[in-house]
Amino acid sequence: MNTTNTNKRYMAIYEDIKGKIASGQYAPGAKLPSEHEFCGIYDTSRGTIRNALDLLVEEGLVNRHPGKGVYVLDNNAITFSFGGLVSFKEASESSGQQFVTTVPYFAEMNVTDKLHQRTRLPVGEQVYCLHRVRKLDGERIILDINYFLQDKLEGLTKEIAERSIYDFIEQELGLKIGFAQRIIQVEPATAKDREHLDMKSYSFVVVVKNFVHLHDGTLFEYTESRHHPERFVFTDFARRR
């Protein structure tokens, strides 16, 4: 069996079903065709269909009900998987949602002892510090607080930050992003959260802290993504060894 062709096949089926969910052809609450029916639709094996459905379950787009079938979930919540290291642009495109990014703050500064304790970036180094606000349907739901080593991201601008910093790093600078340590916490909302997010009656935010390294092991980024708690679901996929 050609494993590469098999992988391409279930990925193509996954993308097709995902597209039909995004377009509303498979509406929230709807029951998907059975595995047997999907085998006929896509002219493939049940194992291939199961692999495609597994990815949809992992992304939080559908849910399996044993003995009843697979149902489309209401995807008003935007699901981010922690199984990989992706840019916000990639994650939002995967969710099918159209975000608008603004950059209300962009500055250069030195890493102080206090900032080092927070970010782990080297004391004395120059960094870009920026705030990015992510809007969905006119509602401000994410505040990203970013620190990047300036000597690694020479030429970074506010305009680039409004588009995709990771595209700039990889395509313009030719750097390879390697890995990240990620910490998830629930914290009381700060004055900055209330200034930049539409908090409604919520008094807390979900905070995702990322310590991101280049492929050579250099820590070059610290980011706090501060999330409005109503609209986001964080997922992971685990398998027992």
Side-chain angles (χ1 to χ4, degrees):
M1 179 183 295
N2 189 319
T3 303
T4 300
N5 288 340
T6 300
N7 289 344
K8 288 181 179 179
R9 183 62 177 146
Y10 83 73
M11 286 297 297
I13 293 169
Y14 149 76
E15 292 288 355
D16 188 62
I17 298 173
K18 181 178 177 179
K20 290 177 178 177
I21 291 172
S23 69
Q25 185 171 338
Y26 295 138
K31 181 181 179 181
L32 292 182
S34 67
E35 289 182 1
H36 177 73
E37 289 170 328
F38 270 139
C39 287
I41 292 170
Y42 293 106
D43 189 24
T44 191
S45 68
R46 181 163 289 184
T48 299
I49 295 299
R50 284 177 181 168
N51 286 339
L53 293 176
D54 282 344
L55 289 178
L56 294 169
V57 170
E58 180 183 342
E59 286 201 16
L61 296 174
V62 302
N63 188 38
R64 285 192 177 94
H65 292 272
K68 295 183 179 180
V70 180
Y71 290 81
V72 179
L73 293 174
D74 184 348
N75 204 37
N76 183 48
I78 300 89
T79 301
F80 285 85
S81 171
F82 286 115
L85 179 57
V86 299
S87 69
F88 182 86
K89 177 183 175 182
E90 292 165 337
S92 59
E93 287 175 350
S94 177
S95 75
Q97 304 286 347
Q98 295 297 317
F99 284 84
V100 174
T101 297
T102 58
V103 184
Y105 182 79
F106 188 101
E108 300 176 17
M109 62 182 63
N110 288 322
V111 178
T112 62
D113 288 333
K114 184 177 180 180
L115 186 57
H116 168 73
Q117 293 299 317
R118 178 183 178 189
T119 67
R120 303 179 192 168
L121 294 167
V123 174
E125 290 289 331
Q126 284 278 114
V127 293
Y128 294 110
C129 174
L130 52 151
H131 299 163
R132 290 185 287 177
V133 177
R134 317 292 193 170
K135 290 184 181 180
L136 180 63
D137 299 328
E139 185 178 13
R140 301 173 300 169
I141 56 179
I142 307 173
L143 169 63
D144 281 347
I145 301 174
N146 307 111
Y147 295 90
F148 294 97
L149 283 183
Q150 187 174 347
D151 69 346
K152 297 297 182 184
L153 270 70
E154 284 290 348
L156 180 65
T157 65
K158 180 177 178 179
E159 290 70 30
I160 291 170
E162 289 175 345
R163 299 192 297 272
S164 173
I165 293 176
Y166 275 24
D167 279 355
F168 172 69
I169 291 171
E170 295 177 325
Q171 297 176 19
E172 298 296 326
L173 301 180
L175 298 174
K176 187 172 182 181
I177 299 169
F179 60 93
Q181 179 189 9
R182 188 171 286 141
I183 299 170
I184 308 169
Q185 296 176 313
V186 175
E187 298 182 359
T190 65
K192 189 174 293 183
D193 294 327
R194 296 190 182 282
E195 177 186 356
H196 293 294
L197 300 177
D198 295 319
M199 290 299 299
K200 299 181 181 178
S201 61
Y202 288 100
S203 61
F204 64 93
V205 291
V206 180
V207 182
V208 184
K209 300 178 181 180
N210 285 283
F211 302 87
V212 189
H213 300 251
L214 294 173
H215 193 258
D216 64 4
T218 301
L219 175 66
F220 79 101
E221 172 194 352
Y222 171 76
T223 289
E224 282 185 17
S225 287
R226 306 181 68 84
H227 295 261
H228 187 291
E230 185 180 51
R231 299 293 298 274
F232 278 77
V233 176
F234 301 100
T235 70
D236 198 359
F237 183 75
R239 190 183 302 278
R240 183 173 173 83
R241 295 180 179 177

